Amino acid sequence: MWGGRFDKAPADRARAFTRSFPIDRRMYREDIVASRAHAAMLGRSGLLPQDSVRAIIEGLDGLLEELVACGGPSLTDDEDIHSFVERELTERIGEDGRRLHFARSRNDQVATDFRLYCKGFSLRLADALLDLMEVLVTRAAEEAETVAPGFTHLQVAQPITLGHYFLALTEMHERDLAEVIRAFSAADVCPLGSGALSGVPYDIDREGVAEELGFSQISRNSLDAVADRDFVTVILNACAGLAGHLSRWSEDLVVWASPGYQLIRFDEAYSTGSSMLPQKQNPDIAELTRARAASVLGVAVGWQATLKGVPLAYGLDLQEDKRAVFGVEDDLLVGLSAITGAIATATIDRARMADLARQGYPEAIEIADYLSELGLPFRDAHAAAGRLVRLAESKNVALLGLDDSDFSDVDARLPGEIRNRLDLRGIVDRRSSYGGTAPALVADEANRARQRIDWNRDRLRELVRDGLPQPLRGIIGD
Ligand code: ARG
């Protein structure tokens, strides 16, 4: 590729360290598609004769077809995906293959390829995330009326509906989805035509190339175009945010599946056993989801540390972007799919949910609220309810187990109505301010969340259709 200026070939160990083909061969589709658009542009701009362009395009199309059929390039001795494609092309069509790299550098080429890759990755991720959100919304609708313990500090705080919990997760993941779509937009700028760093000395049709490749914009500054990997930072941060959310609720599930709680049970198909202890059924998928979030975050932070040290424009440090993103993609897509299956099939123990929701006097606030409604200052009402909790604790009964006289000692008006107020189902039913846990609200919100998922699915289809060139589209939802 650059032997003309050198007397020596690279040392084996230098090459082993610097070459990227073992990793970047994964983006062979992107490289071929971008080369195709570049060749067509060279033809339109009069830089290559049409015969050569035709030969190049036919050669690239044939190569792509072959590679797709066999699942991608096998590991050859090539330096990177770019030199692999050029060599394969030249072996097929001869000298015209050697004309392809006119008015292009690997610097603008690799930035283009990887932007295409990250656009596709963001859409694959959005697709998998929508699958998870659909499961969460389904579970929310099923459990709209299930009374469950609501925790703060991992202490039972107030009863909620389990559907409300699942919708809280949907909210988190809707924000993740917005970040993932933003990552698509961040990558959606075409740098091809920037050359090595300063542009090219020809009147080339950059808009046409961008359009053919599904980019909505072209880069404005050639130096920035080849130096910029902020789109990598954006997608890795989106991944770290998503993985962090998955980790957080995975931790809930690990706790909920433990003997002290027994609120849920993972399906056997999504559990693992122990080689020694015959009775064990472990929540390994949730645990691994928790751990993988840490490594995704580590990659995201490591990448930003890499990027901050690279002087403009290009440095080989930037080659590490593929290693970072591909690893995160593998971890996240496999993990997301497994945890989606785990939550879809987990069994919920509704009786245990209700039992635990009663532990620790979570109805005490009802007494304080009722006394406030009767005209007591809330602070005094709070103190009175606290005294009743202490009394119930000393008698070892629930608040409903207190005598009428215990209630009337606090306020003569208390005994009549208060027993109705202490029923858990009534408590959640009354939490009906917008955004509250009332079953009726949860059912409505689940419907609305489902509509938003459907809308996002349509939007995703549009982004695939308008934002990716044909050969890159099939990989969504495969
Ligand atoms: N394999 C390189 C990468 O992934 C391609 C660009 C190499 N450019 C260079 N000037 N060494 O970034």
Side-chain angles (χ1 to χ4, degrees), residues 441-460:
L441 287 180
V442 169
D444 274 1
E445 279 305 316
N447 278 333
R448 269 194 283 274
R450 196 184 294 286
Q451 283 164 14
R452 291 195 301 274
I453 290 174
D454 291 344
W455 183 88
N456 276 305
R457 286 235 187 256
D458 288 344
R459 169 113 183 84
L460 182 60

Side-chain angles (χ1 to χ4, degrees), residues 165-180:
Y165 175 85
F166 285 126
L167 287 182
L169 306 189
T170 313
E171 292 289 330
M172 284 153 70
H173 290 312
E174 236 177 280
R175 292 191 291 274
D176 293 329
L177 184 65
E179 294 304 308
V180 170

Side-chain angles (χ1 to χ4, degrees), residues 107 111 115 189 191 194 196-199 218-231 312-314 318:
N107 295 353
R115 281 174 174 273
V189 179
S194 300
L197 74 168
S198 67
I218 61 172
S219 55
R220 286 187 293 261
N221 179 300
S222 63
L223 201 62
D224 178 57
V226 296
D228 175 28
R229 292 293 185 280
D230 290 348
F231 64 99
L312 264 57
Y314 182 88
L318 298 183

Side-chain angles (χ1 to χ4, degrees), residues 247-422:
S247 172
R248 210 169 161 188
W249 62 258
S250 288
E251 170 68 1
D252 274 339
L253 299 189
V254 168
V255 171
W256 292 6
S258 72
Y261 288 75
Q262 296 178 51
L263 297 173
I264 66 157
R265 202 185 175 92
F266 286 108
D267 192 86
E268 285 185 7
Y270 291 91
S271 305
T272 49
S274 157
S275 63
M276 180 177 173
L277 309 177
Q279 83 285 7
K280 290 305 291 292
Q281 186 181 337
N282 296 325
D284 279 12
I285 290 178
E287 291 168 18
L288 204 52
T289 301
R290 210 168 51 182
R292 286 285 167 85
S295 47
V296 172
L297 179 62
V299 172
V301 172
W303 166 252
Q304 287 188 58
T306 303
L307 192 55
K308 78 171 184 58
V310 186
L312 264 57
Y314 182 88
L316 202 60
D317 317 47
L318 298 183
Q319 178 167 282
E320 296 290 284
D321 57 359
K322 265 86 67 196
R323 179 193 289 279
V325 168
F326 294 161
V328 164
E329 178 177 24
D330 290 342
D331 280 354
L332 205 48
L333 289 181
V334 175
L336 196 49
S337 167
I339 196 79
T340 300
I343 193 69
T345 55
T347 311
I348 287 149
D349 189 333
R350 290 180 182 157
R352 273 292 299 165
M353 285 274 173
D355 273 355
L356 193 55
R358 266 183 219 104
Q359 303 280 310
Y361 307 101
E363 325 91 317
I365 181 66
E366 305 305 311
I367 299 174
D369 278 352
Y370 183 49
L371 289 171
S372 299
E373 288 168 33
L374 293 176
L376 238 64
F378 180 76
R379 274 291 142 244
D380 299 331
H382 184 284
R387 281 194 298 276
L388 285 172
V389 167
R390 215 158 52 169
L391 183 63
E393 216 165 28
S394 71
K395 290 183 162 187
N396 199 21
V397 293
L399 285 171
L400 270 172
L402 288 174
D403 299 325
D404 277 358
S405 61
D406 297 329
F407 287 120
S408 55
D409 280 352
V410 169
D411 188 301
R413 294 166 294 180
L414 203 47
E417 163 72 2
I418 194 61
R419 293 191 189 278
N420 299 330
R421 298 263 187 142
L422 296 181

Side-chain angles (χ1 to χ4, degrees), residues 1-2 18-21 24 27 79-83 105-111 114 196 226 229 314-322:
M1 211 164 14
W2 26 259
T18 56
R19 83 191 195 110
S20 57
F21 189 55
D24 64 21
M27 58 177 194
E79 174 168 326
D80 57 20
I81 184 60
H82 323 297
S83 45
S105 157
R106 276 188 299 160
N107 295 353
D108 59 344
Q109 182 182 6
V110 73
F114 200 45
V226 296
R229 292 293 185 280
Y314 182 88
L316 202 60
D317 317 47
L318 298 183
Q319 178 167 282
E320 296 290 284
D321 57 359
K322 265 86 67 196

